[in-house]
Amino acid sequence: NALQAIEEALRLWPDEANWQAWAGELALHMDDVALSLKHLQVALTLQPDNAEFATEVGEVLSLSGEYQKAMDVLRNAVALAPESPAAWLGLARAQKGLGLIDEAIQSALRAADIQDGAAEGLIFASKVSQEIGQKDKALEYARGAYYKDPKNAHSIVNLSRILNAQSKAVESLELIS
């Protein structure tokens, strides 16, 4: 199986960063956050200038509730790869976890400015805005995500949820039907 193959590869090549990263990703898919973090941190130690590894470490740290460490790692990731929507979204999640709401929204919007991250960044910004009672901004961001990617199921569901929360049930139902 895949786990045995990766374990054998790690035994043979323990200093191979990509094998460590793959082991970390596999562990995460198996819901072993601690093992995932261990392997991803080794990968990042072996290749400290790898923005993808830094982003993955930051995301797993956030999953572990270690938001300050996550934010530090993710700030490095966005410095290494300022055009990475994944790094900016990861940073937004860590900032939100620390209660840095304005910064989280700005990081999410930065992700949205990058082509690949358009919908997800706006969706995140809309959810955070809705949580803090900024209903107009939440709707603006949700509509922006939908217009940028009208076939994205997350965009559709998010806009529908925001509309429904704002007592616009008819518009919400029209969107999903």
Side-chain angles (χ1 to χ4, degrees), residues 34-126:
L35 183 61
S36 174
L37 185 57
K38 175 188 161 216
H39 285 295
L40 290 169
Q41 285 178 321
V42 170
L44 185 57
T45 299
L46 292 168
Q47 290 185 11
D49 292 334
N50 187 310
E52 184 178 335
F53 294 166
T55 299
E56 291 175 6
V57 168
E59 290 280 9
V60 174
L61 285 166
S62 282
L63 285 173
S64 301
E66 296 184 55
Y67 299 113
Q68 184 61 55
K69 287 181 184 177
M71 190 170 68
D72 294 342
V73 172
L74 288 158
R75 280 186 174 150
N76 184 50
V78 298
L80 291 168
E83 296 304 313
S84 168
W88 284 103
L89 276 172
L91 180 58
R93 288 185 192 99
Q95 290 166 326
K96 181 180 182 274
L98 288 170
L100 303 172
I101 302 303
D102 291 338
E103 292 90 337
I105 290 171
Q106 290 307 309
S107 293
L109 294 176
R110 178 66 185 104
D113 288 341
I114 302 166
Q115 183 61 30
D116 293 341
E120 293 306 316
L122 287 167
I123 291 168
F124 183 88
S126 72

Side-chain angles (χ1 to χ4, degrees), residues 130 134-140 161-169:
Q130 183 74 15
Q134 293 181 352
K135 294 178 181 181
D136 291 341
K137 282 292 187 187
L139 185 56
E140 175 188 335
R161 185 181 60 80
I162 299 291
L163 288 166
N164 193 50
Q166 295 185 14
S167 301
K168 297 179 182 184

